């Protein structure tokens, strides 16, 4: 990822020789990424440092490849890939191996297995695909705490290296013209940018992680190196303005962009264009002086190793010190810079510049295969060790809880991802005159087990209409991609229409209180849904959401066992996990609707000051906010006590109407 080539250039519009401004751009980019991961206030978009790296890679690699073709009349792909191997893989292989080793020593079994799976993908430069799939899978582990998450960008870059030299080689072979090559690169760049816009709107995870949606950033860098400086006809002041605009564009994007900005999309143009502007305006002395300053130059030189080390070190530090603040994170990140320096001088440079390896490119490519095989072996052993840990007697209850999801068949009965299909499933006594409908998101799904038991014991029919991540309340979360938002709205409308047509005795609704909307928006969205159901003439039983921890409870308990912490550290304060404002907003939304009832089982899950993580030796939660199927089923009786009085008057009235 960062620092893939020396900051040198000798091609087309670039100036020959060392480029201190490029080294400084690397330093700025890695500083933004690290600051973002440390949670530095005011840098909510620090992740754009990755986009800066992508543009730099496109610029440097394009320039070096064209220079080689111009000087020798050909492109030695074997030598090119050998340089990439010597530059990137030894340090990456070391970090992957050490990360998996520490993970196996410290983390929960499910984390060890998940990190092993990520390591396996990273070994073959496919971790971006791995994380995009798991980030989009509602039931997958949380990718944000995986110590190898940052390797996704390495995979994108490696994939770029596979196709970009071939594009340049073919372009110059058929046209023999740099301008014609620029047209080809521009076409690829525009196509990728268009795909990025579409995927960002319709499939956010794919747009963020995958090369087809990111190739345009490399392409912009490649086009920047093809711009002849003489053709710009910029004055010294104009070039200075361009360079300073570029720097401020990068910094501004790190300040104003957030993880709710539907990134990358069009807004990624700001850091990408800013980086290209700095590269094109490289002759300006002021810009070069700033970016070439000693602190940024040092960070730029160590950027690749620092990028590799800082993330897993931060993850492990937070495992040992869960309450680590920003100052602590910054200290840890600074300490990881020492590891980066050691790796740079003891691993990176000796391998990269070793005369024996430089003279044997085929051996270097073989080294790549050996490193990949070694990383695959380490990842496989990590996964096996994780499985072994999960089967240990003290871990069995935790392992069982993670997989203890409601018995509702997901493939058949749950709308997933961006599907707007209304999947309905009927359980219990399908011919019963008393129908109950379960409606909502995954927090409705978690009540399926006790509802099924109640329906079976009373001879009712239970129909499910659920979609993961899509609340019953008519709201749009800032975290939704436009594609998911559209599918959620369409699904909700279809579900309400279907429910009204069924005219059930009761609609049981439940939604997770985790969507990042204001209390007012939540009240208004809840009112729209309750009004539509109430106008349909049926009773509505709205369940108050369960307590939501700010951490994964099974993971916390497993870590406690491994690190000798007390299990009470995994309990959650009642005052911090129940938002009374949201529940009050829901009740306000039902004001004037006489057939809306609220169910609340909070006292079954919490004592006066805290909410339990376990009960009778078994876990209550399977993650940070979902009850296990077993824990929910244990709440059958208290749920029945609140639900039956709502259903029975309807059932009695129904029977009376038949007489």
């Amino acid at each position: 990822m960062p620092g893939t080539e020396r900051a040198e250039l000798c091609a087309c519009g670039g100036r020959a020789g060392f480029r201190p401004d490029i080294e400084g751009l690397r330093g700025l980019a890695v500083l933004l990424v690290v600051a973002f991961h440390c949670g530095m206030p005011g840098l909510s978009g620090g992740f754009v440092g990755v986009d800066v790296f992508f543009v730099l890679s496109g610029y440097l690699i394009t320039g070096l490849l064209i220079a080689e073709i111009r000087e020798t009349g050909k492109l030695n792909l074997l030598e090119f890939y050998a340089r990439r191997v010597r530059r990137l893989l030894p340090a990456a292989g070391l970090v992957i191996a050490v990360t998996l080793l520490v993970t196996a020593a410290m983390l929960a079994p499910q984390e060890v297995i998940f990190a092993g799976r990520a390591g396996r993908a990273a070994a073959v430069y496919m971790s971006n695909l791995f994380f995009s799939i798991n980030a989009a899978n509602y039931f997958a582990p949380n990718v944000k705490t995986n110590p190898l998450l940052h390797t996704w960008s390495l995979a994108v870059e490696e994939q770029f290296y596979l196709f970009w030299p071939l594009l340049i080689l073919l372009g110059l072979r058929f046209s023999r013209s740099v301008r014609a090559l620029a047209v080809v690169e521009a076409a690829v760049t525009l196509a990728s940018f268009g795909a990025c816009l579409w995927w960002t709107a319709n499939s956010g995870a794919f747009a963020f992680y995958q090369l087809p949606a990111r190739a345009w950033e490399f392409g912009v860098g490649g086009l920047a190196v093809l711009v002849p400086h003489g053709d710009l006809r910029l004055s010294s002041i104009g070039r200075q303005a361009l360079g300073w605009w570029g720097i401020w564009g990068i910094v501004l994007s790190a300040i104003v962009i957030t993880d709710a900005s539907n990134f990358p999309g069009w807004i990624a143009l700001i850091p990408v264009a800013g980086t290209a502007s700095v590269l094109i305006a490289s002759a300006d002395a002021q810009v070069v002086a700033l970016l070439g300053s000693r602190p940024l130059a040092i960070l730029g030189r160590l950027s690749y190793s620092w990028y590799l080390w800082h993330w897993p070190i931060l993850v492990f530090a937070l495992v040992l010190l869960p309450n680590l603040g920003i100052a602590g994170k910054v200290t840890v990140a600074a300490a990881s810079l020492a590891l980066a320096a050691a790796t740079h001088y003891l691993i990176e440079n000796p391998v990269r510049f070793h005369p024996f390896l430089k003279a044997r490119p085929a051996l270097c490519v073989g080294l790549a295969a050996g490193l990949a095989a070694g990383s695959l072996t380490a990842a496989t052993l990590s996964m096996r060790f994780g499985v072994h840990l999960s089967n240990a007697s003290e871990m069995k209850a935790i392992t069982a809880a993670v997989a203890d999801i409601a018995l509702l068949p997901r493939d058949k009965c749950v709308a997933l991802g961006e599907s707007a299909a209304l999947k309905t499933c009927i359980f219990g006594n399908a011919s019963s005159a008393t129908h109950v409908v379960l409606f909502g998101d995954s927090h409705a799904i978690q009540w399926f087990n006790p509802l099924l038991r109640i329906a079976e014991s009373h001879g009712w029919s239970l129909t499910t209409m659920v979609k993961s991540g899509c609340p019953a309340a008519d709201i749009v979360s800032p975290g939704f991609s436009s594609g998911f938002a559209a599918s959620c709205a369409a699904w909700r409308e279809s579900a309400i229409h279907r429910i009204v047509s069924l005219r059930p005795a009761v609609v049981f609704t439940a939604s997770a209180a985790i969507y990042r909307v204001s209390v007012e928006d939540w009240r208004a969205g809840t009112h729209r849904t309750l009004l539509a159901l109430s106008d349909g003439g049926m009773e509505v039983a709205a369940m108050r959401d369960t307590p939501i921890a700010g951490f994964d409870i099974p993971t916390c308990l497993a870590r406690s066992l491994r690190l000798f912490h007390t299990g009470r550290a995994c309990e959650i304060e009642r005052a911090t996990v129940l938002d009374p404002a949201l529940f009050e907003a829901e009740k306000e939304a039902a004001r004037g609707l006489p057939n809306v009832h609220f169910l609340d089982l909070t006292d079954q899950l919490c004592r006066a000051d805290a909410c339990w993580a376990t009960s009778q030796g078994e876990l209550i939660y399977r993650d940070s906010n979902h009850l296990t199927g077993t824990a929910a089923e244990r709440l059958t009786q208290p749920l029945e006590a609140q639900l039956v009085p709502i259903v029975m008057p309807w059932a009695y009235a129904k029977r009376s109407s038949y007489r």
Side-chain angles (χ1 to χ4, degrees), residues 20-33:
D21 55 321
I22 292 180
E23 200 83 308
L25 274 174
R26 285 181 178 149
L28 175 61
V30 75
L31 195 60
L32 290 176
V33 172

Side-chain angles (χ1 to χ4, degrees), residues 452-529:
L452 179 61
R453 299 292 172 260
I454 295 170
E456 289 175 338
S457 67
H458 289 271
W460 301 342
S461 169
L462 174 64
T463 300
T464 59
M465 299 184 196
V466 289
K467 177 175 171 60
S468 293
C470 182
D474 182 14
I475 57 100
V476 176
S477 169
F480 290 174
S481 68
S482 58
F484 184 84
S487 69
C488 178
W491 172 85
R492 186 188 299 111
E493 182 179 358
S494 297
I496 292 175
H497 180 78
R498 177 66 174 152
I499 292 169
V500 171
S501 69
L502 286 175
R503 296 186 62 80
V506 170
V507 183
F508 183 100
T509 72
S511 298
I514 58 175
Y515 302 101
R516 294 174 295 178
V517 297
S518 67
V519 172
E520 176 55 32
D521 286 343
W522 187 256
R523 185 203 65 77
T526 300
H527 177 74
R528 286 190 290 271
T529 295

Side-chain angles (χ1 to χ4, degrees), residues 42-56:
L43 289 176
S44 59
F47 52 83
V48 302
V50 172
D51 303 82
V52 175
F53 286 128
F54 287 165
V55 178
L56 286 173

Side-chain angles (χ1 to χ4, degrees), residues 115-138:
R117 291 172 57 205
R120 184 174 59 184
V124 293
Y125 324 119
M126 296 296 288
S127 56
N128 60 327
L129 178 62
F130 172 81
F131 285 115
S132 70
I133 291 173
N134 283 277
N137 182 355
Y138 191 86

Side-chain angles (χ1 to χ4, degrees), residues 76-88 352 357-358 360-365:
N76 189 331
L77 289 177
L78 180 63
E79 178 61 37
F80 170 79
Y81 291 122
R83 289 197 302 268
R84 303 276 65 70
V85 168
R86 295 197 307 271
R87 177 69 180 93
L88 299 176
R352 181 182 180 188
L357 293 175
K358 289 178 69 176
R360 294 166 176 81
L363 178 62
C364 293
V365 175

Side-chain angles (χ1 to χ4, degrees), residues 600-654:
D600 186 358
L601 296 183
T602 300
D603 289 342
Q604 301 293 324
L605 300 169
C606 306
R607 58 175 184 266
D609 61 334
C611 297
W612 295 292
T614 61
S615 176
Q616 300 177 10
E618 293 187 354
L619 275 71
I620 294 176
Y621 290 87
R622 63 178 176 84
D623 54 21
S624 66
N625 60 96
H626 293 95
L627 301 178
T628 67
T630 301
E633 197 162 337
R634 283 210 183 94
L635 298 175
T636 298
Q637 286 187 345
L639 178 61
E640 184 177 28
Q642 295 190 30
L643 182 62
V644 169
I646 300 171
V647 178
M648 294 314 293
W650 184 96
Y652 178 79
K654 191 77 171 177

